[in-house]
PDB file of all heavy atoms in Angstrom:
ATOM      1  N   SER A 105     -18.781  15.863 -19.535  1.00 98.00           N
ATOM      2  CA  SER A 105     -18.666  16.607 -18.283  1.00 98.00           C
ATOM      3  C   SER A 105     -19.771  17.652 -18.221  1.00 98.00           C
ATOM      4  O   SER A 105     -20.474  17.894 -19.215  1.00 98.00           O
ATOM      5  CB  SER A 105     -17.309  17.311 -18.196  1.00 98.00           C
ATOM      6  OG  SER A 105     -17.264  18.353 -19.150  1.00 98.00           O
ATOM      7  N   GLY A 106     -19.866  18.284 -17.063  1.00 98.00           N
ATOM      8  CA  GLY A 106     -20.868  19.312 -16.890  1.00 98.00           C
ATOM      9  C   GLY A 106     -20.596  20.542 -17.735  1.00 98.00           C
ATOM     10  O   GLY A 106     -21.488  21.076 -18.405  1.00 98.00           O
ATOM     11  N   ALA A 107     -19.341  20.986 -17.722  1.00 98.00           N
ATOM     12  CA  ALA A 107     -19.002  22.175 -18.506  1.00 98.00           C
ATOM     13  C   ALA A 107     -19.322  21.936 -19.974  1.00 98.00           C
ATOM     14  O   ALA A 107     -19.867  22.808 -20.664  1.00 98.00           O
ATOM     15  CB  ALA A 107     -17.521  22.512 -18.332  1.00 98.00           C
ATOM     16  N   ASN A 110     -23.014  22.219 -20.570  1.00 98.00           N
ATOM     17  CA  ASN A 110     -23.460  23.617 -20.637  1.00 98.00           C
ATOM     18  C   ASN A 110     -22.983  24.296 -21.920  1.00 98.00           C
ATOM     19  O   ASN A 110     -23.686  25.138 -22.474  1.00 98.00           O
ATOM     20  CB  ASN A 110     -22.995  24.384 -19.395  1.00 98.00           C
ATOM     21  CG  ASN A 110     -23.859  24.066 -18.190  1.00 98.00           C
ATOM     22  OD1 ASN A 110     -25.019  23.679 -18.344  1.00 98.00           O
ATOM     23  ND2 ASN A 110     -23.310  24.218 -16.998  1.00 98.00           N
ATOM     24  N   PHE A 136     -23.049  28.665 -10.804  1.00 98.00           N
ATOM     25  CA  PHE A 136     -21.852  27.952 -11.236  1.00 98.00           C
ATOM     26  C   PHE A 136     -22.196  27.093 -12.439  1.00 98.00           C
ATOM     27  O   PHE A 136     -23.091  26.258 -12.375  1.00 98.00           O
ATOM     28  CB  PHE A 136     -21.264  27.073 -10.122  1.00 98.00           C
ATOM     29  CG  PHE A 136     -19.954  26.457 -10.532  1.00 98.00           C
ATOM     30  CD1 PHE A 136     -18.772  27.186 -10.482  1.00 98.00           C
ATOM     31  CD2 PHE A 136     -19.899  25.159 -11.026  1.00 98.00           C
ATOM     32  CE1 PHE A 136     -17.566  26.633 -10.906  1.00 98.00           C
ATOM     33  CE2 PHE A 136     -18.693  24.602 -11.452  1.00 98.00           C
ATOM     34  CZ  PHE A 136     -17.529  25.342 -11.389  1.00 98.00           C
ATOM     35  N   HIS A 137     -21.464  27.303 -13.540  1.00 98.00           N
ATOM     36  CA  HIS A 137     -21.772  26.547 -14.751  1.00 98.00           C
ATOM     37  C   HIS A 137     -20.560  25.853 -15.350  1.00 98.00           C
ATOM     38  O   HIS A 137     -20.689  25.220 -16.394  1.00 98.00           O
ATOM     39  CB  HIS A 137     -22.439  27.463 -15.783  1.00 98.00           C
ATOM     40  CG  HIS A 137     -23.742  28.028 -15.301  1.00 98.00           C
ATOM     41  ND1 HIS A 137     -24.821  27.215 -14.987  1.00 98.00           N
ATOM     42  CD2 HIS A 137     -24.141  29.293 -15.045  1.00 98.00           C
ATOM     43  CE1 HIS A 137     -25.830  27.977 -14.569  1.00 98.00           C
ATOM     44  NE2 HIS A 137     -25.444  29.234 -14.590  1.00 98.00           N
ATOM     45  N   GLY A 138     -19.377  25.986 -14.733  1.00 98.00           N
ATOM     46  CA  GLY A 138     -18.230  25.245 -15.240  1.00 98.00           C
ATOM     47  C   GLY A 138     -16.998  26.107 -15.405  1.00 98.00           C
ATOM     48  O   GLY A 138     -17.010  27.300 -15.118  1.00 98.00           O
ATOM     49  N   GLU A 188     -29.951  27.467 -12.318  1.00 98.00           N
ATOM     50  CA  GLU A 188     -29.966  26.232 -11.528  1.00 98.00           C
ATOM     51  C   GLU A 188     -31.213  26.255 -10.641  1.00 98.00           C
ATOM     52  O   GLU A 188     -31.478  27.276  -9.999  1.00 98.00           O
ATOM     53  CB  GLU A 188     -28.749  26.152 -10.596  1.00 98.00           C
ATOM     54  CG  GLU A 188     -27.394  26.108 -11.279  1.00 98.00           C
ATOM     55  CD  GLU A 188     -26.280  26.617 -10.343  1.00 98.00           C
ATOM     56  OE1 GLU A 188     -25.740  25.829  -9.567  1.00 98.00           O
ATOM     57  OE2 GLU A 188     -25.965  27.817 -10.403  1.00 98.00           O
ATOM     58  N   ASP A 221     -29.646  24.262 -15.700  1.00 99.00           N
ATOM     59  CA  ASP A 221     -28.430  23.509 -15.405  1.00 99.00           C
ATOM     60  C   ASP A 221     -28.768  22.549 -14.265  1.00 99.00           C
ATOM     61  O   ASP A 221     -28.880  22.943 -13.109  1.00 99.00           O
ATOM     62  CB  ASP A 221     -27.320  24.487 -15.000  1.00 99.00           C
ATOM     63  CG  ASP A 221     -26.009  23.769 -14.660  1.00 99.00           C
ATOM     64  OD1 ASP A 221     -26.055  22.565 -14.360  1.00 99.00           O
ATOM     65  OD2 ASP A 221     -24.962  24.435 -14.665  1.00 99.00           O
ATOM     66  N   ILE A 223     -26.971  19.891 -13.538  1.00 98.00           N
ATOM     67  CA  ILE A 223     -25.768  19.074 -13.374  1.00 98.00           C
ATOM     68  C   ILE A 223     -25.598  18.611 -11.932  1.00 98.00           C
ATOM     69  O   ILE A 223     -25.254  17.467 -11.677  1.00 98.00           O
ATOM     70  CB  ILE A 223     -24.543  19.854 -13.890  1.00 98.00           C
ATOM     71  CG1 ILE A 223     -24.622  19.938 -15.418  1.00 98.00           C
ATOM     72  CG2 ILE A 223     -23.233  19.214 -13.442  1.00 98.00           C
ATOM     73  CD1 ILE A 223     -23.767  21.014 -16.035  1.00 98.00           C
ATOM     74  N   GLN A 224     -25.875  19.494 -10.988  1.00 98.00           N
ATOM     75  CA  GLN A 224     -25.730  19.107  -9.580  1.00 98.00           C
ATOM     76  C   GLN A 224     -27.060  18.662  -8.970  1.00 98.00           C
ATOM     77  O   GLN A 224     -27.114  17.718  -8.189  1.00 98.00           O
ATOM     78  CB  GLN A 224     -25.153  20.274  -8.764  1.00 98.00           C
ATOM     79  CG  GLN A 224     -24.833  19.891  -7.342  1.00 98.00           C
ATOM     80  CD  GLN A 224     -23.865  20.839  -6.663  1.00 98.00           C
ATOM     81  OE1 GLN A 224     -23.862  20.936  -5.449  1.00 98.00           O
ATOM     82  NE2 GLN A 224     -23.027  21.526  -7.406  1.00 98.00           N
ATOM     83  N   LYS A 250     -22.648  15.252 -13.460  1.00 98.00           N
ATOM     84  CA  LYS A 250     -22.352  14.699 -12.129  1.00 98.00           C
ATOM     85  C   LYS A 250     -22.968  13.314 -11.825  1.00 98.00           C
ATOM     86  O   LYS A 250     -22.305  12.319 -11.956  1.00 98.00           O
ATOM     87  CB  LYS A 250     -22.724  15.716 -11.061  1.00 98.00           C
ATOM     88  CG  LYS A 250     -21.796  16.942 -11.117  1.00 98.00           C
ATOM     89  CD  LYS A 250     -21.702  17.673  -9.798  1.00 98.00           C
ATOM     90  CE  LYS A 250     -20.533  18.619  -9.764  1.00 98.00           C
ATOM     91  NZ  LYS A 250     -20.787  19.977 -10.229  1.00 98.00           N
ATOM     92  N   ALA A 409     -14.945  23.087  -8.276  1.00 49.00           N
ATOM     93  CA  ALA A 409     -15.006  22.200  -9.431  1.00 49.00           C
ATOM     94  C   ALA A 409     -14.035  22.636 -10.522  1.00 49.00           C
ATOM     95  O   ALA A 409     -13.551  23.748 -10.513  1.00 49.00           O
ATOM     96  CB  ALA A 409     -16.407  22.163  -9.974  1.00 49.00           C
TER      97      ALA A 409
HETATM   98  C1  PLP B   1     -20.189  20.866 -11.252  1.00 91.26           C
HETATM   99  C2  PLP B   1     -21.107  21.741 -11.994  1.00 91.26           C
HETATM  100  C3  PLP B   1     -20.827  22.144 -13.307  1.00 91.26           C
HETATM  101  C4  PLP B   1     -19.534  21.779 -14.010  1.00 91.26           C
HETATM  102  O1  PLP B   1     -19.416  20.411 -14.203  1.00 91.26           O
HETATM  103  P1  PLP B   1     -17.977  19.786 -14.563  1.00 91.26           P
HETATM  104  O2  PLP B   1     -18.270  18.333 -14.796  1.00 91.26           O
HETATM  105  O3  PLP B   1     -17.080  20.030 -13.397  1.00 91.26           O
HETATM  106  O4  PLP B   1     -17.509  20.475 -15.785  1.00 91.26           O
HETATM  107  C5  PLP B   1     -21.749  22.935 -13.956  1.00 91.26           C
HETATM  108  N1  PLP B   1     -22.892  23.308 -13.357  1.00 91.26           N
HETATM  109  C6  PLP B   1     -23.196  22.938 -12.112  1.00 91.26           C
HETATM  110  C7  PLP B   1     -24.498  23.366 -11.500  1.00 91.26           C
HETATM  111  C8  PLP B   1     -22.314  22.151 -11.375  1.00 91.26           C
HETATM  112  O5  PLP B   1     -22.599  21.807 -10.117  1.00 91.26           O
END
Side-chain angles (χ1 to χ4, degrees):
S105 69
N110 283 335
F136 186 80
H137 298 298
E188 297 156 86
D221 179 339
I223 289 161
Q224 187 161 155
K250 292 205 165 90

